[in-house]
Amino acid sequence: HLLLFLLFVGPFNCFASYSRATELFYSLNEGLPAGVLIGSLARDLRLSTAGGQHPAAPQPPLSFTLASRGLGGQYVQLDNRSGELHTSAVEIDRETLCMESSGATIFGGAAAVSSSSPSSESCLLLLDVLVLPQEYFRLVKVKIAIRDVNDNAPHFPVPHIRLSVPENAPVNTRLAIEHPALDPDVGTNGVQTYRLQDNYGVFTLDVEENESGERTPYLIVMGSLDRETREEYVTVIVAEDGGSPPLVGSATLTIGISDINDNCPQFSDSQLNVTLYGNSSLGTHVATVHAVDMDLGSNAQITYSYSQKVPQPSRDLFHLDESTGTITLSSKVDGDTPRLHRLIILGNGPGCIPAVITVLVTIIKVMMRPPEVVPRFIANEAEGVVYLKELEPINTPIAFFTIKDPDEKYKVNCYLDGDGPFRLSPYKPYNNEYLLETTKPLDYETQQLYEISVVAWNSEGFHVNRIIKVQVLDDNDNSPVFSQQLIELSIEENNVPNAFLTKLHATDADSGERGQVSYFLGPDAPSYFSLDKATGVLTVSTQLDREEKEKYRYTVKAVDSGFPPRESIATVTITVLDKNDNSPRFINKDFSFFVPENFPGFGEIGVISVTDADAGQNGWVALSVLNGSDIFVIDTGKGVLRAKVSLDREQQSSYVLWIEAVDGGDPALSSTAKITILLLDINDNPPLVLFPQSNMSYLLVLPSTLPGSPITEVYAVDKDTGMNAVIAYSIIGRRGPRPESFRIDPKTGNITLEESLMQNDYGLYRLLVKVSDHGYPEPLHSTVMVNLFVNDTVSNESYIESLLRKEPDISIEEKQPQISIEPTHKKMESASCMPTLVALSIISLGSIALVTGMGIYICLRKGKKHHRADENVEVQIPLNGRINLHMLEKKPMEISNI
């Protein structure tokens, strides 16, 4: 090998010296997907793809090209710029690639596949790559070794292996199994071991490896064998490779035990006594001897012969058939014939000591002729055997018998001897005529052969027997019978196609073709069930799904081959057993629940409905909260979702939970659902006054302030939403020199001056403001005291503070603020001091107000769409925003907080 290698490599070394040829070697596993990097030619050749080997000088970029795409080129992809070599979309199968090469290199242009032999571990893919441009030209020989992976299981060339072992094989006898398993993989991935699925305690396997590495299994006999006890052993031979994990293949191994001549003939009796009348005719049957040899074939052939001790006169008088053992009278009996004959007969087998039986024949000498029995058969008869069909009717005639005395001197009587449904009766009006007939129907399945004797005797006591054999012929009178009328089966769902279910068995008591049973599916059987006509093997060709159908019930038929055929029916029930192949399923993927806030702890928020199509433990579902389990819990059995604590919408308005449903299968399956809990607002928060910040604060109002000017505002927020957060402002209590001089906007809380201030209006005004929401069913409110000091300056703050500390004597006016309707004109008050004018003004204003109110209402109804933005009940207050209460359109106001 070294010499061949030098001869092969030497010329290429020379070529490399002059033509700059280079050789690269890579290796990779077979069966890799497309795009796997094999190697980088540029990197491994130490070339710069930016321009040759001198990057300092501008050089043209290198390119890499396969010399031509042949057999090996289809398995690789070469990047012309980078020189990277990747696997192509054509998957490399080492066994196909190197088995096709058959021990040679197959060239496909510049690409080839090389393998030293089909079973060798060496499998090379040869590529020729050209590096260009021409000034940097070189030829690169790329060799890629394909490594074997364990992707093939061992398989036997034949599914059934038969081996013959002689029954006298000694222990440790080794017999080669002619069909060893094959595995296209090599090395340890090839076949390593063999084993028997059942060795019966008398066999084992050994493996021998020859010089070429082939492993041959040998069957070793570990115990004694006896064909007469068991003539055949059927087991499974399993071949296993050395991969990780190992793969196996199997075949049926039948071990036949061949016969040897280890048994000799044997008679069941040692002596047989026979009586023969002296007037018997030639050929009269005397007796039949029968020996048995347990061997087979030629080893069981038996011949019969007389012993040397039998005298010649006896041999001449009685003929012995050496094949059948039948003894017949071959000479006439006369007065000189001895009355007793001892016939010693030998049963001879090959290589055996003969078996011995003695037949004692006693000859009764008679001086007169015996009665005669003359049969005339009505039924079919051949060689003394009468053939009758079963189910023949009662009193079916068989034969007439004429009984007579040859000497015509004695009275002759006759009777029937033997068991069976037969009767021999005189046939009137004739004398000495007897009819043999049946007394009941014959049944082949009960008894096939009857042997009866018609016995005649005269008044002197002489007897004559006429033996009649009646052979019953079979008729198709029996239907096949199933071993079970109801065949209950079960199979797990998701079975493999063509799965074995059972083997039906029906018996037919009839013989021959009439007893051969064929099996058929009933018309109610689904099409995907199959029943082998001959063997009765029931299979299902498709996967069964318990969730689609759990029980199958249909009929099967067993039909015999008689004419007309008879059949019987059995019922097959198949229960499909559940497997955990269904995940729990929520009725909805997203659940939404609306819950009022302050809902009591552990109250029922909602029910999560989930189902699982599986049954039993596989269909039991447990629910759990994946997130938020510190607040929410779920009843595993009922799916009721509860909150551990009362929920406050102002703290969090909604919750998103993920609920997981896990079934009880092994392994368990699961699914998840999204739960959204939206808290509905209830009016549980009164408005919160943000300004003024204290009941003790006050605001200086200059007397020169014009009517209609904004003085200050009350600003409040409500944490609730909707109508629960719509705030209305009203003055429910006033105190001051002329407290009606100030009004508050019910919607904005702005306090404005209604009339001009006069000299006698100076002083401290205290306005009790009620801030109320529109909650249902009961609105909530807060109050705040707004203090206004009308004066030019604040000269004595301590005095004002003392006034503020006094409890104000203010009468409460319970009047609901009206924010839905805005007045379009200001209420005008007269400054007159005359009581009469005031009274008249009140009466006039009342009438005018009524008319004006109705007009305003009508106008507002018509112009409602123009005021929709102002009447929006959804008030949103920027809690995080900064409120500038001092930016007024008119002159600035002085504010003092105490």
Side-chain angles (χ1 to χ4, degrees):
H1 290 87
L2 180 59
L3 178 60
L4 292 174
F5 177 80
L6 292 175
L7 290 174
F8 178 80
V9 174
F12 285 96
N13 288 337
C14 297
F15 181 77
S17 301
Y18 295 96
S19 301
R20 302 172 68 184
T22 308
E23 186 176 273
L24 293 177
F25 182 82
Y26 300 105
S27 63
L28 76 159
N29 291 340
E30 62 174 324
L32 294 177
V36 175
L37 178 64
I38 300 173
S40 174
L41 303 184
R43 181 190 62 204
D44 297 335
L45 294 172
R46 294 182 175 83
L47 298 176
S48 173
T49 57
Q53 297 176 339
H54 304 287
Q59 300 294 339
L62 296 176
S63 67
F64 301 84
T65 309
L66 287 174
S68 66
R69 301 189 66 86
L71 176 62
Q74 63 179 324
Y75 298 107
V76 297
Q77 289 289 344
L78 178 62
D79 189 303
N80 294 338
R81 292 297 182 186
S82 65
E84 289 186 347
L85 197 62
H86 296 82
T87 57
S88 71
V90 180
E91 185 178 289
I92 299 176
D93 183 8
R94 184 188 180 283
E95 290 72 38
T96 302
L97 193 66
C98 293
M99 287 294 288
E100 286 180 354
S101 65
S102 300
T105 301
I106 301 176
F107 291 94
V113 178
S114 177
S115 174
S116 60
S117 68
S119 62
S120 172
E121 296 188 14
S122 175
C123 181
L124 296 178
L125 196 65
L126 306 181
L127 305 172
D128 287 347
V129 179
L130 300 178
V131 182
L132 297 173
Q134 192 164 355
E135 55 266 30
Y136 300 105
F137 170 77
R138 70 170 62 190
L139 175 64
V140 181
K141 296 283 187 178
V142 179
K143 295 182 179 180
I144 304 173
I146 310 302
R147 293 192 296 265
D148 182 50
V149 298
N150 192 27
D151 57 345
N152 292 279
H155 71 278
F156 288 87
V158 293
H160 194 171
I161 303 172
R162 188 168 187 88
L163 193 63
S164 180
V165 181
E167 63 177 324
N168 64 341
V171 175
N172 294 328
T173 299
R174 300 170 66 87
L175 299 166
I177 296 177
E178 296 181 355
H179 301 284
L182 306 175
D183 193 329
D185 296 324
V186 296
T188 57
N189 292 331
V191 178
Q192 299 295 316
T193 61
Y194 292 87
R195 67 175 184 275
L196 292 177
Q197 201 172 74
D198 187 357
N199 59 18
Y200 296 97
V202 293
F203 299 106
T204 188
L205 287 179
D206 190 18
V207 180
E208 290 187 4
E209 184 174 354
N210 58 18
E211 295 179 356
S212 61
E214 296 179 351
R215 295 173 178 264
T216 303
Y218 280 81
L219 181 71
I220 301 176
V221 179
M222 301 298 294
S224 59
L225 304 173
D226 185 8
R227 188 206 63 80
E228 288 72 36
T229 302
R230 183 163 189 169
E231 62 181 3
E232 188 177 76
Y233 296 86
V234 180
T235 184
V236 175
I237 182 172
V238 179
E240 183 176 305
D241 62 23
S244 179
L247 302 178
V248 298
S250 62
T252 301
L253 176 63
T254 300
I255 305 169
I257 309 302
S258 59
D259 184 54
I260 63 168
N261 191 26
D262 58 345
N263 291 279
C264 290
Q266 290 183 350
F267 289 105
S268 58
D269 298 314
S270 61
Q271 183 171 308
L272 185 62
N273 297 321
V274 179
T275 300
L276 182 67
Y277 289 102
N279 59 353
S280 299
S281 60
L282 296 179
T284 298
H285 177 269
V286 178
T288 298
V289 295
H290 181 68
V292 178
D293 192 323
M294 298 299 293
D295 293 327
L296 292 177
S298 60
N299 294 330
Q301 289 183 354
I302 301 174
T303 59
Y304 302 93
S305 63
Y306 285 125
S307 170
Q308 297 294 329
K309 297 180 181 180
V310 178
Q312 190 62 41
S314 296
R315 293 169 182 255
D316 296 336
L317 184 61
F318 301 102
H319 174 263
L320 174 63
D321 189 306
E322 66 175 8
S323 298
T324 63
T326 300
I327 304 172
T328 57
L329 184 64
S330 60
S331 299
K332 284 188 175 184
V333 178
D334 55 25
D336 297 331
T337 302
R339 297 185 63 184
L340 181 64
H341 295 267
R342 183 184 298 273
L343 305 179
I344 301 174
I345 300 174
L346 306 179
N348 304 294
C352 290
I353 298 175
V356 179
I357 187 172
T358 301
V359 179
L360 290 177
V361 181
T362 302
I363 298 177
I364 301 175
K365 292 186 179 182
V366 293
M367 300 305 295
M368 60 186 68
R369 290 183 294 173
E372 293 182 357
V373 178
V374 180
R376 287 170 292 165
F377 292 100
I378 301 172
N380 292 330
E381 181 268 340
E383 297 181 356
V385 179
V386 177
Y387 296 93
L388 288 178
K389 288 185 178 180
E390 63 174 335
L391 303 181
E392 288 282 0
I394 299 175
N395 301 326
T396 297
I398 298 175
F400 278 112
F401 288 90
T402 302
I403 310 299
K404 61 182 180 178
D405 180 19
D407 298 328
E408 298 182 355
K409 294 192 291 185
Y410 305 101
K411 181 182 179 180
V412 180
N413 294 315
C414 74
Y415 65 92
L416 189 64
D417 185 24
D419 297 328
F422 305 103
R423 175 176 58 217
L424 183 66
S425 58
Y427 191 73
K428 303 294 184 181
Y430 304 103
N431 294 324
N432 298 330
E433 293 288 341
Y434 293 84
L435 176 63
L436 179 64
E437 58 186 352
T438 61
T439 59
K440 62 181 181 179
L442 303 177
D443 187 3
Y444 175 87
E445 289 71 36
T446 302
Q447 188 169 342
Q448 294 87 38
L449 181 65
Y450 296 89
E451 187 171 309
I452 56 178
S453 297
V454 176
V455 181
W457 85 97
N458 60 18
S459 56
E460 295 298 321
F462 289 101
H463 293 72
V464 173
N465 292 343
R466 179 68 185 220
I467 299 175
I468 306 297
K469 293 183 179 180
V470 179
Q471 176 67 55
V472 182
L473 300 179
D474 188 29
D475 200 357
N476 193 30
D477 61 334
N478 290 279
S479 299
V481 178
F482 281 99
S483 56
Q484 293 176 285
Q485 286 299 314
L486 179 61
I487 304 164
E488 297 179 320
L489 307 173
S490 63
I491 184 174
E492 279 195 342
E493 63 176 331
N494 303 331
N495 55 282
V496 296
N498 299 318
F500 172 83
L501 293 175
T502 189
K503 183 176 182 180
L504 303 180
H505 181 65
T507 57
D508 193 317
D510 295 322
S511 62
E513 291 185 354
R514 292 173 290 273
Q516 292 181 358
V517 180
S518 299
Y519 302 91
F520 301 94
L521 290 172
D524 54 345
S527 60
Y528 39 83
F529 289 96
S530 301
L531 181 59
D532 190 279
K533 175 182 177 182
T535 63
V537 172
L538 181 64
T539 58
V540 56
S541 60
T542 186
Q543 283 190 345
L544 299 180
D545 186 359
R546 189 205 65 83
E547 289 71 39
E548 181 179 336
K549 189 169 183 180
E550 184 175 5
K551 287 187 178 294
Y552 295 85
R553 184 183 181 93
Y554 53 87
T555 57
V556 291
K557 295 192 298 183
V559 183
D560 64 22
S561 301
F563 183 81
R566 300 175 69 97
E567 66 180 39
S568 62
I569 296 177
T571 300
V572 175
T573 63
I574 301 174
T575 302
V576 183
L577 303 179
D578 185 54
K579 290 182 71 174
N580 193 28
D581 58 343
N582 289 278
S583 300
R585 185 175 181 180
F586 289 94
I587 293 180
N588 298 313
K589 280 297 182 184
D590 294 323
F591 291 85
S592 295
F593 296 106
F594 294 88
V595 181
E597 65 173 329
N598 301 331
F599 194 68
F602 292 98
E604 181 178 321
I605 295 175
V607 177
I608 311 299
S609 298
V610 62
T611 60
D612 194 314
D614 293 322
Q617 186 73 15
N618 295 331
W620 181 86
V621 179
L623 297 174
S624 61
V625 181
L626 295 181
N627 62 324
S629 59
D630 53 339
I631 301 177
F632 297 94
V633 294
I634 190 166
D635 188 328
T636 296
K638 298 180 180 179
V640 176
L641 182 65
R642 306 176 190 272
K644 298 179 183 178
V645 297
S646 179
L647 303 178
D648 187 358
R649 190 204 63 80
E650 286 71 39
Q651 292 184 2
Q652 186 169 338
S653 62
S654 64
Y655 296 86
V656 176
L657 305 179
W658 289 95
I659 304 297
E660 181 182 39
V662 182
D663 63 23
D666 185 16
L669 301 178
S670 63
S671 61
T672 57
K674 180 182 177 182
I675 312 297
T676 302
I677 301 173
L678 301 172
L679 297 183
L680 302 177
D681 185 52
I682 64 173
N683 194 26
D684 60 342
N685 291 281
L688 176 64
V689 177
L690 301 180
F691 185 85
Q693 298 178 355
S694 171
N695 289 335
M696 302 299 292
S697 63
Y698 67 93
L699 179 68
L700 177 65
V701 179
L702 299 178
S704 59
T705 303
L706 297 178
S709 299
I711 303 302
T712 184
E713 71 172 342
V714 177
Y715 181 66
V717 296
D718 196 313
K719 294 182 180 178
D720 297 320
T721 60
M723 293 300 296
N724 295 332
V726 175
I727 298 175
Y729 303 88
S730 63
I731 299 174
I732 62 173
R734 305 169 183 263
R735 184 175 178 82
R738 192 154 53 94
E740 294 82 5
S741 301
F742 300 95
R743 70 177 294 271
I744 189 167
D745 189 296
K747 292 176 63 176
T748 64
N750 290 331
I751 298 176
T752 58
L753 180 65
E754 289 288 291
E755 299 174 353
S756 299
L757 296 173
M758 300 186 181
Q759 187 67 32
N760 56 353
D761 294 336
Y762 284 33
L764 178 65
Y765 291 79
R766 308 197 74 177
L767 305 178
L768 181 61
V769 178
K770 179 181 179 181
V771 183
S772 176
D773 60 26
H774 281 62
Y776 179 84
E778 190 69 31
L780 302 179
H781 69 273
S782 301
T783 59
V784 66
M785 188 70 73
V786 177
N787 301 304
L788 303 177
F789 185 65
V790 177
N791 202 3
D792 292 326
T793 61
V794 179
S795 59
N796 190 354
E797 290 187 3
S798 60
Y799 171 71
I800 298 174
E801 292 175 1
S802 65
L803 294 177
L804 292 176
R805 281 194 290 269
K806 292 180 179 179
E807 186 69 27
D809 184 12
I810 299 176
S811 60
I812 304 300
E813 302 174 5
E814 285 296 338
K815 182 179 180 182
Q816 294 293 335
Q818 301 294 326
I819 65 171
S820 59
I821 300 177
E822 295 182 357
T824 59
H825 68 282
K826 294 183 179 179
K827 180 181 176 183
M828 303 298 297
E829 296 181 357
S830 175
S832 176
C833 296
M834 294 183 295
T836 303
L837 183 60
V838 171
L840 291 174
S841 299
I842 292 172
I843 295 172
S844 300
L845 287 174
S847 301
I848 294 170
L850 178 61
V851 175
T852 305
M854 293 180 64
I856 292 172
Y857 176 77
I858 295 171
C859 293
L860 288 176
R861 290 283 294 179
K862 291 182 180 180
K864 184 177 182 180
K865 60 182 179 179
H866 302 294
H867 300 285
R868 196 174 298 274
D870 297 332
E871 295 177 4
N872 188 359
V873 297
E874 291 290 341
V875 178
Q876 296 190 8
I877 301 174
L879 299 180
N880 295 329
R882 299 183 63 186
I883 303 173
N884 192 345
L885 302 177
H886 308 289
M887 298 300 294
L888 302 175
E889 296 179 358
K890 309 260 180 198
K891 58 184 178 181
M893 296 180 291
E894 298 180 10
I895 299 175
S896 175
N897 292 326
I898 299 176

